[in-house]
Amino acid sequence: MHFACTQENLLQGLSLVSHISGKNANLPILGNVLLKTEGGGLKLSCTNLEMAVSVMVRGRVETQGEYTVPAKLLQDYIGLLPAGKVELVFNGEALEVRADGSTTTVRGMPSSEFPLIPRLASGKSYKFKSEVLRQAIGQVAFAVSGSESRPELSGVACFFHGYGQTDKTVFAATDSYRLSERIVVLEAGAPGEEVKCIVPARAMNEISRILSAYKDEMGMPEAVEWSMTDSQLAINYGNVELISRLIEGSFPDYRQIIPSNFKTSCVLSRSELQKAIRAASLFSRQGLFDIHLTFKPGEGVIVSSSDTGTGAHSTTLKADIQGDENHVTLNFRYLADGLATMSVDKVTMKLIDGMNPVLVIPGEQEDARYIVMPIRQ
């Protein structure tokens, strides 16, 4: 194998794929990146057996071939090289990296030992705008469950044409204490009945990272291609491909817990609410992380408070409140996590009472909802 390209292209390719490689005592080759000439470029691939990421690096192929070397080591070294031409040469025993008048040898393992990355069989295909999909993942993936007891909650549920949303996809995630939902318009896709899947949280976060990090001087792709079968997902964006297994199981019918009628509704500044939450969190009870919100429509204010043995705190926030006076106790972490994903100036909070879920909506958006379960006193 003999391949030449720019340092910038090679470094970007390595940064996109090496993120999922890691040390594995039983399969050390999972820490390696597979370098394989293909067509007129070099294909870089990494896998952790649950997910695989590949990217094509443009360059000039002098001699065909393939080999694997430690991914993080190669990425770190290429990152130290100056901008310009880099040559990768496999001499039969190791990989030679030639650049700027120097030669470095990196020993790896034969490509025959690298796990086979499965190809996706024909399945359903859809397209999303890349920026819309990236934002949607950021708004829901944080709410997945970290518990292994309910694997169906450890991923993001995707409902294509779901809940009566023709030509739209509903993304949802929950850990039973809070729930986030985002509805996204499909650019193109298989028409027909509702199609469901649950994508592992790590795969979703990796998709978001790729959409944020990928750069192409030849022109950025506007659409993300999403293909899936009953057990696998494939994402194609420019020269990058991600393949992941899907989570088996049935996602709960979460819409049953979302109230349709509320007794109190208010609109207030997101940044001011975030500051009040941070202040109240300093005096919340360890392990419970509780803060109290009292809604006073007559005065047009919300009082955020907390009280522990070390002290007490109270902040009064101006708000446009409609309906009844109300009170609810929430886990400040859950509330703060949801607000952090919203990029609007104002948020709308709706509640029935201190025993029912609280709905938070970014601004007047109808395609995003965040639910927080109360701490029942």
Side-chain angles (χ1 to χ4, degrees):
M1 178 181 74
H2 186 173
F3 176 76
C5 64
T6 65
Q7 183 262 359
E8 296 92 337
N9 284 353
L10 182 56
L11 182 60
Q12 178 186 238
L14 288 168
S15 67
L16 288 170
V17 301
S18 66
H19 196 255
I20 67 166
S21 67
K23 293 182 179 179
N24 187 304
N26 298 320
L27 277 173
I29 200 164
L30 295 184
N32 283 16
V33 55
L34 172 64
L35 312 171
K36 182 179 181 180
T37 55
E38 200 170 282
L42 181 70
K43 188 175 185 178
L44 309 177
S45 303
C46 283
T47 182
N48 59 10
L49 300 184
E50 298 289 321
M51 173 173 55
V53 179
S54 302
V55 61
M56 286 296 299
V57 176
R58 295 190 187 94
R60 186 177 73 254
V61 178
E62 303 286 354
T63 308
Q64 301 286 344
E66 54 188 280
Y67 190 56
T68 82
V69 293
K72 293 290 196 297
L73 174 62
L74 184 60
Q75 179 187 349
D76 290 346
Y77 177 68
I78 297 299
L80 296 174
L81 296 176
K85 180 181 176 182
V86 176
E87 292 182 86
L88 302 177
V89 182
F90 177 53
N91 60 18
E93 295 182 354
L95 181 73
E96 292 182 4
V97 182
R98 303 172 184 172
D100 196 33
S102 64
T103 300
T104 298
T105 300
V106 182
R107 293 180 178 83
M109 302 172 72
S111 59
S112 58
E113 296 186 27
F114 196 81
L116 182 67
I117 297 176
R119 302 304 305 166
L120 194 73
S122 59
K124 304 282 186 181
S125 295
Y126 306 91
K127 281 188 178 181
F128 297 96
K129 282 188 176 178
S130 56
E131 182 59 21
V132 171
L133 180 59
R134 186 190 66 79
Q135 290 178 357
I137 293 172
Q139 287 181 301
V140 298
F142 73 95
V144 302
S145 172
S147 171
E148 297 180 359
S149 60
R150 297 187 64 185
E152 70 274 13
L153 299 186
S154 65
V156 175
C158 311
F159 304 89
F160 295 83
H161 309 295
Y163 294 106
Q165 302 282 344
T166 305
D167 297 328
K168 294 181 181 179
T169 299
V170 180
F171 294 105
T174 182
D175 60 4
S176 299
Y177 301 104
R178 36 81 179 280
L179 180 146
S180 188
E181 179 193 72
R182 174 70 195 273
I183 301 172
V184 172
V185 176
L186 284 168
E187 291 300 295
E193 76 284 354
E194 177 181 285
V195 177
K196 307 175 185 178
C197 72
I198 305 176
V199 182
R202 185 174 181 187
M204 273 300 212
N205 288 324
E206 197 62 32
I207 294 168
S208 177
R209 197 182 70 84
I210 289 169
L211 297 179
S212 299
Y214 181 73
K215 299 289 185 291
D216 191 341
E217 69 277 3
M218 303 296 288
M220 291 295 292
E222 292 185 0
V224 180
E225 297 180 16
W226 176 302
S227 307
M228 63 183 178
T229 62
D230 291 339
S231 60
Q232 274 189 311
L233 162 73
I235 297 293
N236 286 277
Y237 181 61
N239 290 325
V240 187
E241 179 184 60
L242 177 144
I243 296 176
S244 172
R245 70 170 182 86
L246 295 174
I247 296 174
E248 295 181 4
S250 179
F251 199 77
D253 186 8
Y254 65 90
R255 290 206 166 188
Q256 293 182 348
I257 71 161
I258 302 177
S260 55
N261 297 305
F262 301 90
K263 292 183 177 179
T264 308
S265 175
C266 75
V267 178
L268 73 161
S269 165
R270 181 179 70 100
S271 60
E272 292 301 314
L273 179 57
Q274 287 177 305
K275 291 177 184 177
I277 292 170
R278 285 196 292 269
S281 70
L282 300 175
F283 299 92
S284 66
R285 285 176 284 182
Q286 192 65 31
L288 198 57
F289 310 118
D290 59 327
I291 62 169
H292 312 286
L293 297 176
T294 302
F295 299 79
K296 299 181 177 183
E299 301 175 32
V301 298
I302 297 175
V303 179
S304 166
S305 62
S306 55
D307 189 351
T308 63
T310 56
H313 170 79
S314 177
T315 299
T316 300
L317 300 168
K318 291 183 179 179
D320 180 7
I321 306 175
Q322 305 293 326
D324 302 342
E325 185 166 323
N326 227 320
H327 177 86
V328 67
T329 301
L330 300 174
N331 181 311
F332 79 81
R333 290 183 170 181
Y334 296 154
L335 184 55
D337 285 348
L339 293 172
T341 67
M342 301 175 186
S343 56
V344 294
D345 295 329
K346 301 281 187 179
V347 294
T348 301
M349 297 183 69
K350 297 183 178 183
L351 67 155
I352 299 173
D353 53 35
M355 303 295 286
N356 286 282
V358 175
L359 173 64
V360 185
I361 302 171
E364 297 180 354
Q365 267 185 270
E366 296 182 358
D367 60 359
R369 294 190 292 184
Y370 184 59
I371 301 290
V372 184
M373 299 300 290
I375 298 174
R376 293 172 179 171
Q377 299 298 298

